[in-house]
Amino acid sequence: MYASGCIKCSLHCTDKASTIPCITRLWTQTLLRYIHSHHSCNESLQRSLYTLNSLLASYLWDNNLIASWALFQRIHCTRTDLDSYTFTPVLAACSALPNSKRGMQVHALMIKFGSETETVTRTALMDMYSKYGLMEESFRVFAEMGFKDVVTWNALLSNFVRHGKLKKALRVFEDMKRDGVGFTGFTLCSVLKACMHLKAYKQGMQIHGLIVVMGRDLVVLNTALIEFYSNMGLIDTAIKIYRSPKTGRDKVMCNSFVHVCIKNGKYKEAFSILSSIRPNVVALTTALAGCSQNSDLWIGKQVHCIAIRFRFVNETQLCNALIDMYAKCGKISRARLVFDGTLEKDVVSWTSMIDAYGRQGNGLEAVKLFMRMEEEEGDVLPNEVTFLAVLSACSHSGLIEQGRWCFDLIQSKYGLNPGQEHYICYIDILGRAGLIEGVWCLYSDMITNGVKLTSSVWAALLHACVHNDDFRRGEFAAEHLFELDQDEPGIYVLLSNFYAAIGKWKVVDQIRSIMKSKGLFKDPGSSNVAVSSNQ
């Protein structure tokens, strides 16, 4: 791991170019073009390290990650005086680029140059490992630090929130209080987000009280408070905070509040805000997201009219929101009109339209659109979510061969690793088609590839077994599902129905007792109908 020479870029090796997946090849070509266009960079390497560090940071600020990495390679090959200000921007670039080994190589160089002990570089290391999903390594870097400033604590706190480890995030906040670490607005925003996702109302109220006592009347904190109370269902409290004369407002806060109001059916307040500011793309996009969640076509049309009036209909982000809104309101033809009229389609545009067809049960159209996307692959490449949308469409429409083709394409052409969701969709496709042996072959592939077997995976396997009367292996799946500590009532209902089907009534009674002791109840199915939206 300790590097003695230059960090060699694998792009210089062309003997396996034909097997490089599409995404890697695109990245490779981009970097080679950059290196070719900067052949005179060696002259600039004679400048001071301070100047080169500034250039690295400027590339990062411009989000030119490839340029930042290429420059760092050249600096490392020609100089031996690298310091923490050299490594910090490179670590940030590595966290956003593919291949975690790149970041680990930089970590090894930091140890070699003695820059690993500094707080700023260790904080950057924590963030990089967190973004790679390596939380144990991230926490190990934190634990080995001598001096920890508030930025370091904030990095650990936000890392836990980012990965859904919300209770650990709250424990970090308690540790900060115990050690007398001063809080920043970023600290309190992260804690409020954790409280919001945990539905921890009392803790969120305590944070609100702390903000008032500390006099932290910042726009970003008020925005976080509005989001917290609205997610708690206390929309009137959120409106009260927004309307408070002490509350500072900016465009971000107004946009967030528009989304909150529309999501909670407070249309009068939402359009009052829109009328008091000049509408912008983000405000209208957030409003459309609220309409999508509520399947509110009437309000969605009003927002569309505002977008047309202010000539925002060429903005890809807003067009994507319109596609999603019309699709979720059942207006698939209007969604397609918006899609066809979008001048610069990105991967979200294609994925939204494919998913729209899938949700409507029109799997063939979804596959056709995906194939058209493939034909134009030079412009936009599909991602994991795109493949999930195609597989889901095939599952809903019973398209077995198309589903198999799509699943094989994930790795063979694009070099992506199928995730749990992809396996679950493909298991459902094969299970519905009666191909139970294929389902268990997939199970073996998941074991071989190290895919984590969650409750959703076991539930999909159990569904497939029930559909094909494979009760022996179904019981194997049910036992693993039963062992997992779950608070999802649907899982217990599935287990109860399975054991009832094979006549194990004692187990059925046991499952129902567990549900009762945990206070779990299966919500009945329901549908929302917009009777009147002009309120």
Side-chain angles (χ1 to χ4, degrees):
M1 190 171 175
Y2 292 85
S4 56
C6 298
I7 298 179
K8 296 298 181 184
C9 180
S10 60
L11 305 174
H12 296 158
C13 179
T14 58
D15 58 333
K16 296 182 180 179
S18 61
T19 61
I20 297 175
C22 291
I23 296 174
T24 307
R25 186 158 56 246
L26 181 63
W27 190 91
T28 300
Q29 291 168 352
T30 306
L31 181 51
L32 287 174
R33 282 198 300 269
Y34 167 78
I35 294 172
H36 178 73
S37 63
H38 288 73
H39 63 277
S40 62
C41 183
N42 286 329
E43 296 179 4
S44 67
L45 295 175
Q46 305 305 316
R47 301 176 187 175
S48 68
L49 185 63
Y50 174 83
T51 304
L52 292 171
N53 289 346
S54 299
L55 186 58
L56 278 171
S58 68
Y59 281 141
L60 182 65
W61 279 106
D62 290 339
N63 201 33
N64 197 343
L65 307 176
I66 298 175
S68 179
W69 174 251
L71 177 60
F72 173 72
Q73 284 184 291
R74 288 171 173 263
I75 293 172
H76 167 56
C77 287
T78 56
R79 304 184 68 114
T80 59
D81 56 344
L82 311 188
D83 60 16
S84 59
Y85 295 102
T86 312
F87 290 111
T88 304
V90 174
L91 288 170
C94 287
S95 66
L97 288 170
N99 190 354
S100 61
K101 290 182 181 179
R102 183 182 289 108
M104 293 177 182
Q105 285 181 314
V106 176
H107 187 183
L109 279 177
M110 287 169 55
I111 297 172
K112 178 183 176 182
F113 282 92
S115 298
E116 194 205 17
T117 57
E118 299 188 35
T119 304
V120 62
T121 49
R122 278 187 168 267
T123 304
L125 268 175
M126 287 172 56
D127 186 64
M128 181 193 74
Y129 279 124
S130 169
K131 288 177 179 175
Y132 285 152
L134 303 172
M135 283 301 296
E136 289 185 8
E137 285 77 1
S138 179
F139 185 74
R140 187 179 298 116
V141 172
F142 174 83
E144 291 173 353
M145 292 177 70
F147 171 73
K148 305 178 181 74
D149 60 13
V150 66
V151 178
T152 307
W153 282 97
N154 285 346
L156 182 65
L157 184 60
S158 64
N159 289 346
F160 280 133
V161 173
R162 181 190 297 131
H163 289 277
K165 300 183 182 296
L166 306 173
K167 291 183 179 179
K168 287 186 177 181
L170 294 183
R171 282 200 291 271
V172 169
F173 181 64
E174 293 299 321
D175 291 342
M176 291 178 72
K177 289 195 290 185
R178 183 198 62 205
D179 293 355
V181 181
F183 306 139
T184 64
F186 186 87
T187 312
L188 300 174
C189 281
S190 295
V191 178
L192 274 173
K193 185 174 288 187
C195 293
M196 178 183 73
H197 291 300
L198 285 171
K199 301 295 180 183
Y201 174 67
K202 288 185 179 179
Q203 290 94 325
M205 286 282 289
Q206 289 172 351
I207 301 300
H208 189 178
L210 187 61
I211 291 170
V212 173
V213 169
M214 294 174 66
R216 297 289 181 90
D217 190 26
L218 302 174
V219 173
V220 65
L221 285 172
N222 287 324
T223 304
L225 282 170
I226 288 171
E227 188 177 6
F228 167 74
Y229 282 115
S230 65
N231 277 274
M232 292 294 107
L234 302 170
I235 185 64
D236 291 332
T237 305
I239 292 173
K240 186 178 178 180
I241 293 172
Y242 180 83
R243 289 179 173 171
S244 171
K246 294 182 180 180
T247 301
R249 299 181 185 88
D250 65 0
K251 186 183 290 186
V252 174
M253 186 177 186
C254 292
N255 294 344
S256 176
F257 195 61
V258 167
H259 173 71
V260 165
C261 289
I262 289 186
K263 181 181 176 182
N264 289 275
K266 301 288 184 179
Y267 303 116
K268 182 178 179 181
E269 289 82 356
F271 282 101
S272 174
I273 296 166
L274 284 173
S275 63
S276 64
I277 63 171
R278 179 175 176 81
N280 58 80
V281 172
V282 177
L284 299 181
T285 301
T286 55
L288 286 167
C291 295
S292 296
Q293 290 176 3
N294 293 340
S295 299
D296 199 320
L297 179 62
W298 190 84
I299 295 296
K301 285 181 176 180
Q302 308 308 307
V303 176
H304 193 176
C305 289
I306 295 172
I308 294 171
R309 179 184 174 189
F310 285 89
R311 298 181 180 178
F312 291 142
V313 288
N314 291 330
E315 297 286 342
T316 303
Q317 180 186 3
L318 187 121
C319 289
N320 294 342
L322 281 169
I323 292 168
D324 186 62
M325 184 273 296
Y326 279 124
K328 288 181 178 175
C329 291
K331 301 297 181 182
I332 195 73
S333 57
R334 290 190 181 181
R336 184 60 190 257
L337 281 173
V338 175
F339 173 80
D340 290 337
T342 304
L343 299 179
E344 297 182 6
K345 300 178 181 68
D346 60 11
V347 67
V348 179
S349 311
W350 289 94
T351 303
S352 298
M353 197 63 235
I354 290 169
D355 184 60
Y357 280 125
R359 287 175 181 271
Q360 294 291 318
N362 199 341
L364 284 173
E365 281 298 324
V367 173
K368 282 182 184 178
L369 191 61
F370 176 69
M371 293 174 72
R372 180 181 151 195
M373 181 184 184
E374 275 226 298
E375 292 171 2
E376 302 177 16
E377 70 173 21
D379 299 323
V380 182
L381 290 170
N383 59 18
E384 291 90 341
V385 183
T386 312
F387 284 109
L388 186 60
V390 179
L391 285 169
S392 179
C394 293
S395 175
H396 286 119
S397 300
L399 304 176
I400 305 164
E401 292 303 320
Q402 292 89 336
R404 181 181 288 114
W405 166 75
C406 175
F407 188 82
D408 292 340
L409 207 64
I410 297 175
Q411 274 188 313
S412 64
K413 183 173 181 179
Y414 293 96
L416 301 174
N417 293 320
Q420 294 170 10
E421 297 86 355
H422 302 100
Y423 277 105
I424 290 168
C425 272
Y426 195 29
I427 286 169
D428 188 62
I429 291 171
L430 297 180
R432 290 173 186 267
L435 302 172
I436 191 64
E437 295 304 324
V439 167
W440 287 101
C441 284
L442 276 182
Y443 166 77
S444 299
D445 288 343
M446 294 179 76
I447 298 293
T448 303
N449 296 328
V451 178
K452 187 177 180 181
L453 300 177
T454 62
S455 59
S456 299
V457 175
W458 288 113
L461 289 168
L462 183 56
H463 268 298
C465 290
V466 170
H467 189 81
N468 291 275
D469 295 334
D470 187 357
F471 297 121
R472 182 179 60 83
R473 287 183 290 196
E475 193 165 4
F476 169 75
E479 287 172 358
H480 282 82
L481 189 57
F482 191 67
E483 288 172 2
L484 297 175
D485 184 23
Q486 296 294 325
D487 290 327
E488 174 58 47
I491 296 293
Y492 288 103
V493 171
L494 173 63
L495 284 168
S496 177
N497 291 342
F498 172 74
Y499 282 112
I502 62 176
K504 292 197 174 185
W505 297 104
K506 287 185 179 180
V507 182
V508 172
D509 292 338
Q510 185 183 353
I511 292 170
R512 289 176 179 173
S513 297
I514 293 172
M515 289 185 69
K516 188 175 181 180
S517 64
K518 289 188 173 185
L520 300 176
F521 299 96
K522 184 77 164 64
D523 293 329
S526 61
S527 300
N528 294 328
V529 179
V531 178
S532 176
S533 297
N534 54 349
Q535 46 186 318

